[in-house]
Amino acid sequence: MNGHDRTDRLAELEDGFQALAGQSQDSPEWQAVSILHAMVQELWRSGEAGVADPAERGWPASAIRPTLSDIANLYKRAPSMSGSRQHEPLRVGSIAPDFTLPDANGREVSLRDFRGAPVVVAFYPLDWSPTCSDQLSLYQAELDEFQRVGASVVGISVDSVYSHGAWAAVRGIAFPLLSDFEPKGAVARRYNAYRPGDGFSERALYVIDADGVIRYAHVAPQLDHIPDIYELFASLAELTGKPQPEPSSLHPVDEGVAATAGG
Amino acid sequence: MTVSAIPIPHRAGPAAAPVVVYGTRWCAASQMVRRHLDRLGMPYRYVDLELDPGAARRVAWLSGGYVSHPTVSVGGAVLVEPSIAELDRALMRAGRVTGWW
């Protein structure tokens, strides 16, 4: 079968289906049609991926030897982490509190080690948890971009160095993860970011300049919210004078923003 | 993670339907998809599910009533929370990628 022709035909059919959107969709018949469409998409997707991963079919865990990918994706099925922020960030323009914490290799890392260049300090709740996995993977994917503007990145959580080591290995995180383990959350407290009822820190993001001054400070309004990466880039651009990366959106202003602005 | 193969974007003509990313500003997966497309120089429309009034309804229609972020429409495929690898495969199938570095 000619895969290219089949893809064209599927694309045409999909266009036809999408053109029907906007009509009254509340009847059971329309709901059934919508569900069928979603099922077709899922089947198409799993067919493309080859043999579906048995773990995704809900087979008994004892029948499966977990792969590295299974472990890396454990966070997707982990208990969800939710909660509103409890603290405000430290003020922009203030001196960032110093710290000395071990990384996964047991090496002591201090904030003052980064003097002379900007550093992005990302406090996050816990290794292996939903959302946190994605945030640090996002920064890992952007390491070239951080390097381009001369900025370092470190992550900090209350996890042990052993947890950091395992999680960084599984997720492919190459920048340091520091262990705010004992006293628990002591550095997070210095940054007004420790959540005593939870036993972990806020999702707090700081950009600290070459002189140790806080130039960007953000605490996520919800634990499962990631700070906007474009906002982070804008802050680094302002700080370093180097231009931020070009988004590839077709419109200079996001569709959603344009819609609300009436633009 | 180490990227071992980087897709070469193909400048599709005006008739090609744009890649559309439905997402939210605070979702890591939405940001990862957008940034991946940025780095590829792959033109796309970003539609914010929280700011665009009809967007959530449209995604619900395409996804059997579910609204996940990101949902990515590319070349006839509607990808719900795709991995980067799945996204690249869909781009290649849609002729938006000509090869690999």
Side-chain angles (χ1 to χ4, degrees), chain A residues 181-220:
Chain A
F181 185 81
E182 175 58 29
K184 188 171 186 179
V187 172
R189 285 180 204 274
R190 260 175 246 167
Y191 280 77
N192 201 35
Y194 188 69
R195 297 169 63 101
D198 291 321
F200 50 71
S201 77
E202 302 274 14
R203 191 177 305 279
L205 186 64
Y206 288 90
V207 174
I208 298 163
D209 72 12
D211 300 317
V213 176
I214 296 172
R215 299 291 290 268
Y216 173 82
H218 175 94
V219 176

Side-chain angles (χ1 to χ4, degrees), chain A residues 45 142 226 230 248 250, chain B residues 26 35 38 44 61-62 86:
Chain A
R45 171 184 182 175
E142 301 291 358
I226 304 293
Y230 295 101
S248 199
L250 285 174
Chain B
W26 50 264
R35 283 295 303 145
D38 289 348
Y44 66 94
W61 168 248
L62 295 174
E86 282 182 299

